[in-house]
Amino acid sequence: MLAQKGRFASVALAPLLFLICLFITLYHIGYDLTLSWRVTAEAQSEEFVAYQFRQGPFSLELPGEKYKVIEKFSAGPITHHSGLSHFLMSLIWLGVCYILAVSTFLKRYWFLAIGAGFILMSMRLELDQLGIASYVVRSRWLTGIFILSFLTPAYYFHAFREQTKITIRLLTFALISSFWAFYMFSIDPNTAIYFISRTHYSVICLVLVFLFLVAEEIVFGILFLITRATGSKDNEKHFLFFGLFYIGFITVYYLKKAGFISTAFDIMDPFLLLAVSGLIAWWSFKHKQSFLDQISNIQIDIRHVLMALSTVAFGYFSLGFARGNDPAYEAFHYLILYFHLGFGFMFFAYIIVNFVSPMASGLQVYKVAYKEQNFPYISAKLGGFAAVAAFFFLSNKEPLELIISSKYNYQGDAFRASDEELLAQQSYLTASMYGYNTHYANYQLAIAALKKNDLREAHYRYGKATKRYPSAYAWVNRAETLVNKEDEVLSITLLREGLMDFPENGEIQNNLAVGLYEIGGIEEAKTLLSTTPATENWNQASTVNKWGVRDDIPKIGVIQEYENGSIPIRANIISLTLNDSSTYDLPLEPTLFNQPATLHHVAYLINAGWYFADPISIDYFRNYAGQVLNVGFRKNLMAAGILNAYKSNRVELAFRTLDDLQGSASNREKGLYLNTMGKFALDQGSPKLALNYFDQAILYGNPEAAFNLGIAFMEDRQWSKARGQFESLAKIDSSLLPMINSLSQVWSSDIYQKTPPWVYYRWDELKPEEIAASLKQMDARLIISLWEKIFREYAQRNDETLHQYFEIFRPFLNENQRMDFEAFWTITSGKDGIFTENNNSYFKHLWESEDSVILKQINPFEEWFVLEVINQKKLGDKQVYDLLLKTTEVNSYGVPLIKAYALKALELGLSNYAEQGLLNLYDKVPRSEYYDFEGQFEEKRREISTSSNW
C-alpha cells in the first residue's frame, strides 16, 4: 500500500482546480443564477395634432393619441436549475463515498468511527418515506438495505482486500450510489433537494473538518517560503513580520464583520481565503504525512483525505450559491474567519515558540514543523479549538443560527417541490426567524405574499431581504411594492439606497430614472439614463426610456438609432418626431402586422399610423385591432390607420372605413366619426357634403361639430347661415366675437373691403390681377388654401384662365404643388407620356400605374382625374360603371360624377339606377343646370331606344 503514496500528487491538482473554479464561478454569479429580471412596459398616451389643414382663415385639426413606451424592471421568483442542483448534490455524495473509500485504509477504530458516522447520516435520510416502486414502506428496512449496500463492500475492502486500489474502491461506491440515485430519482425527481434537506447537518460536520485541516496552511506556506533556502539570515524576523501581517489582516476583517470598526470597502473575502487555503493544502499536506501516520498509520497519500473533504466542502458551498441560500454560506463567512484566525494564530505561536532558534540559524524549519516539540502540535490544535469556541460564543452563536436557517430553507424547498406550499412557507418563516434579515427566506415569503396580493407584507419581506446579504432584485421589488400611490418619493429614496449597495446595477438605475421622470425630475432622469450601465442582452430598457423621457429630438443619429433599435425604441423615436417639424426618412415595418399584439407592437403601429403616409391598407390596421383587447388601443389603431390611408390619398378607403365603424359605435363615437368625415370633406373641397356630416354629428352630441358647421357654411357661401351659426355660438363663448367681427366684412357686399378673408371667400368677384395684388396681404397658408379653392373650381374647365392663376400663385407653391399642376395640365391636355423627368407628382404616378391600381386608389373628390381616367383609359363598361358608383357613393355632391354615372347607367340599360342618379342631382345644382342635364339625359335615352329598335 505504501507504493500508492506520492502517486496521487500528479493527478490531484486537476479535480481540485475544477472544484475551486466551480466554487468561485458560482460565487461570482451569485443571485443571477436563481433570479431573473422581468420588464414591465407601460404605454403613456399623449394627445397631439395628428393632422392639420387650412380652410381659409380657419385652421382645422384632427387630434390623435400617440404613445411612448416606458420600461421598468421587477424581479421574478426564485427559480432553481434542477440539473445543476442534482450535479452538485451528486458531487457532495461523491465526496462522502470518497471518505468511505479512504476509511477502508485506516486503522479499525477510525474505520468504525467513520462507518458509524455514515450510519447516522443514512438514518437521517428516512428513505422509508420514498418507498419501493409505488408503495411506501413504513419501516426502517429500506434504510438498513441502503446502509448495508455501502458498508458491506467497505468492510470487505478493509478486512480482506487490502491491496485493492482506492480508485476501484471509490468506483464501487459510486456504482452503488448510481443505482440508488436512479431508483430514488424515479420515485421523486426532486431527489437532490430532498437529500440536502435531510443530510444538511452531516455535511456541515464534514465541511467543518475540512476547515479544521486547512485553516493553518497559509501560515505554513509563509514558513515554507521563508525557510526553504538553507542559511538565510533574519528568517525569524521575516516570519514574524509576514505572519503578524497575515493574522492582523484577518483580525481587521473580523473586527469589521463583528461591527467593531467600519471601512468603506471589504479588505478581503473569506471564500477567496478558503480557496487559497485549499490550494496551498494540496501542496503542503505531504509534510503532514509522517505526523498522521503516527495517529492512523494511513496506507495512502494523505491528500486523498483532503480531496475527499474538498469535494464535500466546495460542493456544499457551490450548492448554496447555485440555489441562492445565503445563510448556508454566510455562516461560513464567520466560521472561515474563526478557524483561520484561531488555528492560524495558534500555529503561528507554535512555530515561534518551538522554532525561533532554528529559523535564526537559517535552517529549513518547514521540514521539521510537525516533529514532536516542547510545545506539542496537538496543544496548538487544542488552543485553536478554544479560540474558535471563544469567537463562536462571542458572536452569540450566530453561525449556528444561520446554519439552522439554511437547513429550513432547504426543507422549505423540499416541501415546495412536493407541492406542500403551507409547510414550505412555514419552513421559510422559521428560517427567517433563525437567519434574521437573510435574503433567501424573506424573498420567498415576499413572493408568496405577492401571490396573495398582500403588498404590505411583500414590501416588509423584501425590506428584510435587503439587509444582510442583499440583492439588486430585492431592492427593486421593495421599491415596487409600496402600498400607496403617493409613495413615489419613498420609492425613489429606496432605489437610491439600493444604488449605494449596487452602484453598477443598470436595473436599479433605470427604475430610479423612471421614478424621477414620473415626479417631474426630467433632467436628472435624462442624466441617469445617459450613464445607465447595460442591462440584460435581451432588452434595451434604458435606451427605450432614454427616448421615452426626451422632449426634443437630436439633430444627428436618429436614423441609426431607429434602424438598430428594438420595437419600443422605434415607437418612442416616432413619438418624438410627431412633435417635431422636421421630417425624417424612417422606414416602416409592415411585417409587424403579423406579430402578436403586444404592447410594444401596438404602440409602434399606432405611432407609425400617425406618422407615415404610406399606402398601407386600412385592412391591416382593422385586422390587427381585432387582436387587441384594450379598447383604447383598438380605437387608436383604427384612427391611426384611417389617417394613414387619408394622407396616402386613399380617401375613399378612409371614408368607407369611418362609415363602417359607425355601425357598432356608441352615439359619442358616431358623433366623433361624423365630425371627422366632415373635416375630411372640407379638406377635399366638398362643403355641401361636410354640412351633411356636421349636421349628423351635432345630432349625436359632438361639441366641435357646431363650430365646424359654421366653417362649412362659409365655404358653401351661405353667409346668413354662417353668421347665424357663429353668433349663436358666441352667446355661449364670447371669445368668438373678434372672429365674427372679422368675418362680417366677408358677409358684407362692400367690394372695397378687400381683407384677406374677403379675398379668400369672394375671390371670383375679383380679376386675376386684383387677386395677385391682394396676395401681398395674406400669409402663406391662406395663399395655398386659396390656390386649392381656385384649382378645384377651374379643374373641369381646363382653360387658359387656370393657367393664368397658376402663374400668379407659382412663387408661393412648393415643388410638389407645382408638379401636381404640371401633371394635371399634361393629363387633361391629352399629352400622355410627356411629363418632365423630375415630375414625381401623385397624379403622374397614379396615371402611369396599372388600371387595377388606378381604380383602387383613385380619389373620388379629384373629379377631373376620375373623368380623365374614364375618357382616356381603355376601361370596360363595367369598370367605368363600378368606378362611378363607388366615387359617387363617397362624393355624393360630386355633380360631374353624378352626371357621368346617370348617363353610364342609362347606356348600360340600368334605367332605374340612371333615374335615381338623375334624382340625386335635383337638389345639388341650380334648377337651370338640372333642366339642361335632364334634357341631355332624355336625349340619351331616345338615342339608346332608337338604336335598340334597329
Side-chain angles (χ1 to χ4, degrees):
M1 284 298 104
L2 292 175
Q4 295 188 26
K5 293 183 178 181
R7 298 177 184 176
F8 183 62
S10 59
V11 296
L13 184 59
L16 180 61
L17 285 175
F18 167 76
L19 288 171
I20 291 176
C21 289
L22 177 65
F23 158 78
I24 292 175
T25 300
L26 293 175
Y27 182 44
H28 174 71
I29 293 173
Y31 291 117
D32 289 342
L33 199 63
T34 56
L35 292 169
S36 59
W37 293 111
R38 294 176 174 178
V39 176
T40 304
E42 176 186 353
Q44 297 182 353
S45 64
E46 180 183 338
E47 288 191 2
F48 75 111
V49 179
Y51 184 70
Q52 187 176 42
F53 63 94
R54 186 71 174 266
Q55 207 68 34
F58 298 99
S59 181
L60 284 90
E61 299 173 346
L62 285 176
E65 277 190 70
K66 63 177 184 175
Y67 292 89
K68 56 185 175 184
V69 178
I70 300 296
E71 293 187 342
K72 297 177 73 173
F73 288 98
S74 62
I78 295 175
T79 56
H80 299 119
H81 298 268
S82 60
L84 181 59
S85 295
H86 280 84
F87 169 74
L88 294 173
M89 189 60 230
S90 300
L91 202 61
I92 296 171
W93 187 255
L94 180 63
V96 173
C97 293
Y98 203 163
I99 293 171
L100 198 58
V102 169
S103 73
T104 61
F105 289 95
L106 304 179
K107 289 184 177 180
R108 180 165 297 180
Y109 56 83
W110 284 110
F111 172 73
L112 292 177
I114 293 174
F118 181 82
I119 291 172
L120 292 174
M121 181 178 183
S122 300
M123 291 178 66
R124 287 292 303 156
L125 286 174
E126 298 183 11
L127 294 179
D128 56 293
Q129 299 300 317
L130 293 176
I132 298 177
S134 59
Y135 302 97
V136 176
V137 181
R138 298 298 179 184
S139 71
R140 295 293 180 181
W141 282 106
L142 192 60
T143 302
I145 295 170
F146 178 83
I147 293 171
L148 287 175
S149 67
F150 284 94
L151 291 187
T152 300
Y155 178 76
Y156 175 73
F157 288 132
H158 182 268
F160 303 109
R161 294 299 301 268
E162 296 181 1
Q163 301 300 320
T164 304
K165 295 181 179 180
I166 190 170
T167 51
I168 300 299
R169 304 184 191 205
L170 178 58
L171 183 60
T172 300
F173 294 129
L175 289 174
I176 295 170
S177 300
S178 299
F179 165 78
W180 282 104
F182 177 78
Y183 160 68
M184 286 182 238
F185 188 81
S186 65
I187 299 296
D188 185 356
N190 300 293
T191 300
I193 192 60
Y194 176 84
F195 253 65
I196 193 62
S197 68
R198 294 291 184 178
T199 63
H200 184 255
Y201 295 136
S202 302
V203 173
I204 290 291
C205 291
L206 296 176
V207 176
L208 291 175
V209 173
F210 174 73
L211 283 181
F212 166 74
L213 292 177
V214 304
E216 65 192 31
E217 297 310 302
I218 293 180
V219 177
F220 182 86
I222 295 172
L223 178 68
F224 170 78
L225 292 173
I226 291 173
T227 66
R228 62 178 178 171
T230 305
S232 299
K233 295 181 179 180
D234 297 327
N235 281 350
E236 76 285 3
K237 296 178 182 178
H238 295 152
F239 179 75
L240 188 65
F241 173 78
F242 287 107
L244 287 176
F245 178 81
Y246 165 70
I247 300 298
F249 193 72
I250 301 177
T251 302
V252 170
Y253 187 80
Y254 165 75
L255 293 174
K256 180 181 185 298
K257 192 76 175 173
F260 295 111
I261 63 173
S262 62
T263 60
F265 55 91
D266 287 337
I267 60 175
M268 61 167 287
D269 189 295
F271 284 114
L272 294 180
L273 184 69
L274 182 64
V276 172
S277 302
L279 282 174
I280 294 176
W282 170 82
W283 163 81
S284 64
F285 252 48
K286 61 184 178 182
H287 298 285
K288 292 184 179 181
Q289 184 80 44
S290 59
F291 173 75
L292 292 176
D293 280 347
Q294 298 174 12
I295 300 175
S296 180
N297 191 26
I298 189 168
Q299 297 299 303
I300 57 172
D301 193 319
I302 189 62
R303 281 173 288 195
H304 280 292
V305 176
L306 176 69
M307 280 302 303
L309 291 170
S310 295
T311 304
V312 174
F314 288 121
Y316 172 79
F317 291 134
S318 297
L319 182 66
F321 298 142
R323 297 187 70 86
N325 191 355
D326 56 308
Y329 46 85
E330 191 179 355
F332 284 89
H333 263 251
Y334 297 98
L335 291 174
I336 292 170
L337 286 176
Y338 299 167
F339 273 74
H340 278 73
L341 196 54
F343 287 103
F345 176 77
M346 291 307 299
F347 186 72
F348 174 77
Y350 164 78
I351 296 296
I352 292 296
V353 170
N354 291 315
F355 300 106
V356 169
S357 295
M359 276 194 287
S361 302
L363 299 179
Q364 293 178 310
V365 173
Y366 74 92
K367 290 184 177 181
V368 295
Y370 299 107
K371 299 294 184 180
E372 187 68 31
Q373 303 295 331
N374 293 329
F375 178 18
Y377 178 67
I378 293 296
S379 298
K381 280 293 187 182
L382 291 174
F385 271 122
V388 170
F391 289 133
F392 176 76
F393 286 108
L394 280 173
S395 69
N396 293 321
K397 300 182 283 187
E398 188 169 356
L400 176 60
E401 292 181 345
L402 289 170
I403 288 171
I404 296 172
S405 174
S406 63
K407 194 268 182 190
Y408 278 104
N409 282 338
Y410 283 128
Q411 181 175 291
D413 291 347
F415 281 132
R416 178 165 287 176
S418 302
D419 294 326
E420 298 180 82
E421 186 61 29
L422 291 178
L423 290 175
Q425 290 184 35
Q426 187 59 47
S427 295
Y428 294 137
L429 185 60
T430 306
S432 71
M433 293 170 62
Y434 277 103
Y436 184 66
N437 287 344
T438 52
H439 183 278
Y440 189 87
N442 285 300
Y443 196 98
Q444 291 282 35
L445 291 169
I447 291 294
L450 277 183
K451 290 180 179 179
K452 300 174 184 175
N453 202 30
D454 187 351
L455 293 180
R456 191 178 301 277
E457 173 68 11
H459 179 74
Y460 169 72
R461 288 297 172 183
Y462 281 129
K464 291 176 71 67
T466 61
K467 299 300 181 186
R468 297 187 63 172
Y469 206 79
S471 70
Y473 305 94
W475 274 113
V476 166
N477 278 7
R478 184 186 181 192
E480 290 298 306
T481 52
L482 288 167
V483 178
N484 301 314
K485 290 285 186 181
E486 58 271 15
D487 286 339
E488 290 92 346
V489 175
L490 178 57
S491 174
I492 290 171
T493 302
L494 291 175
L495 290 171
R496 289 192 193 277
E497 291 179 19
L499 205 56
M500 293 175 65
D501 275 355
F502 301 93
E504 299 299 321
N505 185 269
E507 288 80 9
I508 295 179
Q509 193 162 325
N510 176 83
N511 280 22
L512 176 58
V514 172
L516 289 166
Y517 168 73
E518 289 176 345
I519 65 169
I522 298 176
E523 293 306 317
E524 188 177 357
K526 290 180 182 178
T527 303
L528 276 172
L529 289 170
S530 65
T531 60
T532 299
T535 52
E536 299 280 354
N537 294 330
W538 54 269
N539 73 78
Q540 296 177 297
S542 59
T543 308
V544 171
N545 294 333
K546 180 183 75 174
W547 287 102
V549 303
R550 291 188 73 110
D551 50 13
D552 62 329
I553 193 161
K555 297 181 184 292
I556 58 175
V558 179
I559 302 296
Q560 184 178 3
E561 286 267 9
Y562 180 87
E563 291 177 346
N564 296 335
S566 59
I567 294 301
I569 291 175
R570 296 185 180 195
N572 285 349
I573 290 177
I574 294 177
S575 179
L576 270 178
T577 60
L578 287 169
N579 280 347
D580 198 277
S581 58
S582 305
T583 301
Y584 297 89
D585 187 17
L586 304 178
L588 177 63
E589 297 288 342
T591 56
L592 292 181
F593 286 111
N594 300 322
Q595 301 296 321
T598 64
L599 182 143
H600 292 160
H601 292 124
V602 173
Y604 171 82
L605 289 173
I606 290 175
N607 291 350
W610 299 127
Y611 176 83
F612 293 105
D614 280 10
I616 309 169
S617 173
I618 192 65
D619 291 337
Y620 284 118
F621 284 94
R622 173 173 282 180
N623 294 336
Y624 199 79
Q627 306 175 38
V628 179
L629 299 179
N630 184 280
V631 176
F633 281 158
R634 192 160 58 238
K635 291 177 180 177
N636 279 319
L637 263 172
M638 287 306 303
I642 290 167
L643 184 62
N644 181 273
Y646 184 79
K647 290 192 299 184
S648 304
N649 219 40
R650 300 291 302 278
V651 177
E652 182 246 346
L653 187 59
F655 270 91
R656 287 190 182 278
T657 305
L658 282 167
D659 192 56
D660 291 344
L661 290 175
Q662 292 184 65
S664 57
S666 64
N667 287 345
R668 178 185 171 280
E669 290 169 347
K670 287 180 179 179
L672 179 64
Y673 295 146
L674 289 164
N675 186 56
T676 301
M677 294 170 78
K679 290 180 181 180
F680 283 165
L682 274 181
D683 191 33
Q684 293 297 321
S686 181
K688 294 186 182 299
L689 181 61
L691 287 168
N692 183 37
Y693 285 130
F694 290 139
D695 277 333
Q696 295 181 63
I698 291 170
L699 292 177
Y700 285 109
N702 187 274
E704 187 190 0
F707 184 83
N708 293 338
L709 182 65
I711 298 175
F713 281 135
M714 292 294 296
E715 288 294 320
D716 200 39
R717 300 191 176 194
Q718 299 187 46
W719 312 128
S720 60
K721 289 186 178 181
R723 182 171 189 167
Q725 183 69 18
F726 285 133
E727 288 180 347
S728 65
L729 293 174
K731 293 177 182 178
I732 303 171
D733 184 1
S734 60
S735 63
L736 297 177
L737 291 175
M739 178 203 72
I740 293 174
N741 291 334
S742 66
L743 291 179
S744 62
Q745 300 168 354
V746 178
W747 301 326
S748 171
S749 59
D750 188 353
I751 197 171
Y752 298 105
Q753 299 289 333
K754 297 187 182 69
T755 60
W758 193 96
V759 174
Y760 171 79
Y761 285 111
R762 308 185 76 149
W763 63 272
D764 56 341
E765 299 180 26
L766 300 174
K767 296 178 181 179
E769 55 270 20
E770 292 178 301
I771 292 178
S774 300
L775 295 182
K776 298 176 183 179
Q777 304 175 25
M778 297 184 181
D779 63 68
R781 295 181 65 185
L782 186 59
I783 293 172
I784 298 302
S785 187
L786 177 57
W787 160 250
E788 291 172 350
K789 180 185 287 289
I790 293 174
F791 178 79
R792 289 192 182 96
E793 184 71 23
Y794 278 93
Q796 305 305 322
R797 306 181 190 180
N798 193 20
D799 58 20
E800 287 299 327
T801 306
L802 181 55
H803 205 284
Q804 182 181 356
Y805 278 115
F806 174 71
E807 293 301 328
I808 293 173
F809 283 90
R810 180 196 287 272
F812 304 98
L813 304 180
N814 60 38
E815 184 179 0
N816 290 333
Q817 291 165 331
R818 290 195 294 268
M819 286 191 297
D820 282 348
F821 179 80
E822 179 197 308
F824 157 77
W825 199 261
T826 301
I827 293 170
T828 56
S829 300
K831 299 175 182 179
D832 189 7
I834 63 168
F835 296 101
T836 57
E837 292 183 3
N838 65 340
N839 192 308
N840 296 317
S841 167
Y842 157 78
F843 295 115
K844 173 180 178 290
H845 169 74
L846 192 57
W847 183 259
E848 293 178 343
S849 299
E850 298 290 333
D851 290 347
S852 59
V853 175
I854 297 175
L855 297 176
K856 183 178 181 181
Q857 298 186 8
I858 201 165
N859 182 351
F861 295 93
E862 301 288 353
E863 298 163 4
W864 68 268
F865 190 77
V866 176
L867 296 176
E868 291 298 334
V869 167
I870 292 172
N871 294 332
Q872 296 192 44
K873 297 291 183 181
K874 296 179 181 179
L875 304 176
D877 287 338
K878 187 176 185 309
Q879 287 179 310
V880 172
Y881 176 79
D882 289 342
L883 174 59
L884 290 169
L885 178 62
K886 80 171 188 176
T887 54
T888 53
E889 284 179 346
V890 174
N891 184 9
S892 56
Y893 284 83
V895 172
L897 299 181
I898 296 173
K899 290 179 179 179
Y901 170 77
L903 294 176
K904 192 63 181 180
L906 194 61
E907 181 182 330
L908 295 176
L910 305 172
S911 57
N912 289 337
Y913 292 105
E915 290 173 358
Q916 183 62 46
L918 180 63
L919 183 61
N920 288 340
L921 192 65
Y922 183 79
D923 58 351
K924 295 179 175 62
V925 295
R927 291 292 178 265
S928 58
E929 184 179 348
Y930 175 79
Y931 291 130
D932 288 343
F933 179 73
E934 186 181 33
Q936 182 183 350
F937 180 86
E938 293 300 332
E939 179 64 26
K940 183 72 172 179
R941 190 201 296 270
R942 286 192 294 271
E943 288 177 4
I944 293 172
S945 176
T946 302
S947 175
S948 61
N949 289 336
W950 282 100

